[in-house]
Amino acid sequence: MTLTPKVRIWPNTGIPGKNCGTIILTAEELGNCRDCATMQFCANKLDKKDFFGRSDPFMVFYRSNEDGTFTICHKTEVVKNTLNPIWQPFTIPVRALCNGDYDRSIKVEVYDWDRDGSHDFIGEFTTSYRELSRGQSQFNVYEVVNPKKKLKKRRYINSGTVTLLSFLVEAEHTFLDYIKAGLQIHFTVAIDFTASNGNPSQSTSLHYMNPYQMNAYAMALKAVGEIIQDYDSDKMFPALGFGAKLPPDGRVSHEFPLNGNVDNPYCNGMEGILEAYHESLKTVQLYGPTNFAPVINHVARYAAAVQDGSQYFVLLIITDGVISDMAQTKEAIVNAAKLPMSIIIVGVGQAEFDAMVELDGDDVRISSRGKLAERDIVQFVPFRDYMDRTGNHVLSMARLAKDVLAEIPDQLILYMKSRGIKPNQTPPEYSPPGLSPTSTI
């Protein structure tokens, strides 16, 4: 396969009247190869580079380009104080390694790590994907050669050897692969009915029903729901509320059906959910506290019953952001991270969302009782960041939907990979017995 590289050249004119050099950008079209290669290497008798100790070796892999240049595609970890390192296995897309051209040269350089960044060159060798794919064999033991030493020293042989210990190729499956194989995605909505939202009869309330304009809750629900409902054949969705006093006895509930039907919490499409939401505002009393853990655990119970890769669960929580049960919510999320489940949290209003950012786990993985979440399953976004300044609510909702749904495919794939589930292994459709809080997408 030959792909012609594209080259663009820009003069660097940062300082008027002075030539600041040239910026050259070389691009090459990626081949349509979705395989990933996992490999492990060790080395033997590498050159000693440190005066007071042995070397601290690491390897740098380069993909060769069509124009004869090389591009870094992987760097191993540093193994300290040894001339016989064993590096950890690593996984790399085949297109990054050779762009799907199995005979293209792959250059590997071996260095001794130095704290100041002036790493010492030990030597190099070349190989190809086709050679590596033979796996552990006599063909995959490489002499590490330092060209300068070879020129200067007549008796120079090499600076050590590198051996391929293992090589495995697997297809890199996509979200769509799992959907095509029959994976069912289930969706549940949970809406915040706590008093911090304000009295629904007053225009300052986040739940205020303006006859001419949707409130923030309705817009967030419609933005996400209208995308999701297109993947659902019957368009029947369960919808829950939390943090309200329910008639007739004023009991506080953190997982009540919006339509008032405990035996059948399903609503017909987004319009059905919006209608049930509006009716709930007329019958329940906004109260508190704001507890997320009950609705998370509610959906997690159903996710725990189906961990064979046939189904995946998504919970959308819309809230004003004043959370009361942080410790319990963290524990619920850590437990749910082991399950086929994702959580979307949309914050409405002008409250501080520091607690929500912590739950998101993008910067620091969430933990509970000293246990880290197995993976990041929470995506939080404040709706106010997506409000169009011109008042175009359609544009606001489109922006919101794009971001809140963006992480779901990767979260799903990560779960499947962690369990070794491939698309062609996905079992046929399964419906859990009894009342379910989910709807098939």
Side-chain angles (χ1 to χ4, degrees):
M1 176 177 62
T2 301
L3 298 172
T4 304
K6 299 176 177 61
V7 179
R8 290 288 304 273
I9 301 176
W10 290 275
N12 188 353
T13 56
I15 302 175
K18 186 175 181 180
N19 183 2
C20 299
T22 303
I23 297 174
I24 302 175
L25 174 66
T26 304
E28 182 178 328
E29 183 180 354
L30 286 176
N32 187 23
C33 177
R34 286 167 44 191
D35 289 344
C36 279
T38 300
M39 59 191 86
Q40 183 179 21
F41 292 87
C42 70
N44 188 43
K45 296 182 180 178
L46 294 176
D47 282 356
K48 180 178 178 294
K49 291 291 185 178
D50 293 340
F51 185 76
F52 292 107
R54 301 173 185 176
S55 295
D56 305 317
F58 69 94
M59 293 195 296
V60 181
F61 288 73
Y62 296 84
R63 178 186 71 247
S64 62
N65 303 314
E66 288 290 337
D67 60 359
T69 60
F70 288 88
T71 301
I72 293 178
C73 58
H74 181 75
K75 186 182 292 186
T76 70
E77 79 280 8
V78 176
V79 182
K80 291 293 190 72
N81 197 30
T82 180
L83 302 180
N84 305 294
I86 301 176
W87 289 282
Q88 292 293 319
F90 65 90
T91 300
I92 182 171
V94 172
R95 63 177 178 271
L97 192 63
C98 65
N99 206 6
D101 182 352
Y102 294 172
D103 296 310
R104 183 180 295 201
S105 291
I106 299 168
K107 182 172 72 171
V108 184
E109 294 179 343
V110 185
Y111 288 90
D112 168 42
W113 178 85
D114 284 332
R115 188 182 300 274
D116 62 3
S118 60
H119 311 308
D120 299 316
F121 179 69
I122 295 176
E124 64 185 18
F125 63 92
T126 59
T127 182
S128 68
Y129 177 85
R130 193 176 300 280
E131 289 178 5
L132 293 172
S133 64
R134 296 178 179 182
Q136 187 179 28
S137 69
Q138 61 182 1
F139 301 106
N140 279 315
V141 178
Y142 300 95
E143 290 191 355
V144 178
V145 176
N146 186 322
K148 290 184 178 179
K149 277 191 174 183
K150 190 174 182 179
L151 286 174
K152 291 180 180 179
K153 298 182 178 181
R154 189 179 305 174
R155 296 184 179 180
Y156 175 80
I157 300 176
N158 60 50
S159 296
T161 60
V162 169
T163 302
L164 177 68
L165 294 177
S166 63
F167 187 89
L168 175 67
V169 180
E170 291 184 307
E172 187 180 38
H173 301 298
T174 66
F175 175 74
L176 190 58
D177 290 335
Y178 288 99
I179 296 297
K180 287 179 178 179
L183 170 71
Q184 302 297 309
I185 300 181
H186 304 282
F187 179 65
T188 300
V189 176
I191 295 178
D192 185 336
F193 280 80
T194 57
S196 57
N197 286 281
N199 188 334
S201 63
Q202 298 178 358
S203 61
T204 54
S205 171
L206 294 170
H207 282 304
Y208 179 66
M209 303 308 302
N210 186 327
Y212 304 106
Q213 180 180 314
M214 290 186 294
N215 64 30
Y217 277 89
M219 281 195 287
L221 177 60
K222 195 174 177 68
V224 179
E226 285 194 340
I227 300 294
I228 290 178
Q229 73 172 356
D230 289 337
Y231 296 88
D232 183 3
S233 58
D234 62 9
K235 292 181 170 53
M236 297 296 293
F237 298 98
L240 306 174
F242 59 92
K245 282 186 174 181
L246 307 184
D249 57 0
R251 174 179 56 89
V252 177
S253 175
H254 297 289
E255 47 179 303
F256 62 90
L258 293 189
N259 64 5
N261 189 339
V262 176
D263 296 324
N264 184 7
Y266 291 91
C267 300
N268 188 3
M270 287 305 104
E271 294 305 318
I273 294 180
L274 288 170
E275 182 181 349
Y277 162 58
H278 296 162
E279 290 301 315
S280 291
L281 289 173
K282 299 175 184 177
T283 58
V284 306
Q285 178 188 347
L286 272 60
Y287 198 67
T290 306
N291 293 347
F292 285 5
V295 291
I296 294 173
N297 290 331
H298 190 88
V299 176
R301 285 195 293 272
Y302 292 89
V306 193
Q307 300 185 55
D308 57 6
S310 64
Q311 302 182 52
Y312 196 83
F313 298 76
V314 177
L315 169 63
L316 169 64
I317 299 175
I318 310 177
T319 180
D320 71 342
V322 186
I323 186 171
S324 306
D325 65 337
M326 177 60 82
Q328 294 87 341
T329 295
K330 283 184 176 181
E331 185 174 9
I333 291 172
V334 169
N335 292 333
K338 299 180 291 187
L339 304 173
M341 179 174 170
S342 290
I343 301 169
I344 299 169
I345 303 175
V346 177
V348 296
Q350 300 303 316
E352 291 297 326
F353 291 119
D354 293 346
M356 301 301 139
V357 174
E358 184 180 352
L359 295 179
D360 191 295
D362 282 345
D363 297 325
V364 179
R365 183 69 59 85
I366 194 171
S367 64
S368 174
R369 301 175 186 266
K371 183 169 64 174
L372 280 173
E374 185 176 304
R375 58 196 178 95
D376 176 19
I377 65 167
V378 178
Q379 165 77 335
F380 165 74
V381 293
F383 191 27
R384 63 185 178 223
D385 290 356
Y386 297 85
M387 296 298 292
D388 183 68
R389 294 180 180 178
T390 65
N392 186 334
H393 297 314
V394 174
L395 185 58
S396 299
M397 292 189 291
R399 289 171 176 169
L400 175 70
K402 178 178 179 293
D403 272 15
V404 299
L405 296 173
E407 291 188 10
I408 299 297
D410 286 343
Q411 291 174 359
L412 183 150
I413 290 170
L414 185 58
Y415 173 80
M416 297 300 181
K417 279 186 175 180
S418 70
R419 299 300 185 271
I421 299 171
K422 299 178 182 179
N424 58 356
Q425 295 176 338
T426 305
E429 182 179 351
Y430 165 79
S431 296
L435 175 64
S436 168
T438 57
S439 177
T440 302
I441 295 175

